[in-house]
Amino acid sequence: MKAEDELACVTAFKTGTEVERKKALTELTQYHMVYLAKLVRGIYPNDNKYHGLSHLDLLQVAVLRFIEKLDDYDIDSVYRLTTFYTREVKTTLFRYL
C-alpha cells in the first residue's frame, strides 16, 4: 500500500461515516496483517517456551493493539503508520507473554 493510499484510509477511518470507517479499518487491517504476523513470529518463534499459546493468540493481541493505536495516529504526522505502531505492538506482545 502506498503512503498516499494509507493516508486516505486513515483519513476515512478518522473522519468518515460508519460505513467508510468499517471499510477503511478492514483495508488497513488486511494490509498490515502480514507485518503483524512477522512481528509475532519474531517474538514467539517455534520454541515451546510458553506453553498453551499459539501464534494466532498473539496475532489477535497484535491486531487489537494496532486498532487502538490507529485511533491515536496523527494524520499530519511525517511517520508512516507502521513506524508509529511497531514499538507499541511489540511492547504489548512482550507483556502478554
Side-chain angles (χ1 to χ4, degrees):
M1 181 179 279
K2 294 180 183 177
E4 299 84 27
D5 299 335
E6 185 177 75
L7 184 61
C9 281
V10 172
T11 304
F13 176 76
K14 288 191 166 280
T15 61
T17 64
E18 189 64 31
V19 173
E20 291 172 340
R21 285 177 54 90
K22 286 182 181 179
K23 183 181 178 199
L25 180 62
T26 302
E27 287 180 24
L28 287 167
T29 305
Q30 286 175 348
Y31 177 73
H32 288 275
M33 187 68 69
V34 174
Y35 181 70
L36 291 170
K38 286 181 182 179
L39 285 178
V40 168
R41 295 286 291 177
I43 291 173
Y44 183 63
N46 273 341
D47 58 358
N48 291 321
K49 203 183 326 183
Y50 304 102
H51 300 288
L53 289 177
S54 72
H55 288 108
L56 294 177
D57 294 333
L58 294 175
L59 185 59
Q60 185 177 11
V61 171
V63 169
L64 289 174
R65 187 65 181 151
F66 164 73
I67 292 171
E68 289 172 2
K69 290 305 289 182
L70 191 57
D71 287 330
D72 297 339
Y73 183 68
D74 182 18
I75 297 172
D76 299 325
S77 176
V78 296
Y79 299 109
R80 295 273 314 254
L81 185 58
T82 308
T83 306
F84 178 72
Y85 71 77
T86 299
R87 190 179 110 228
E88 289 292 328
V89 168
K90 282 184 175 181
T91 303
T92 302
L93 289 172
F94 280 123
R95 287 181 183 163
Y96 187 78
L97 292 174

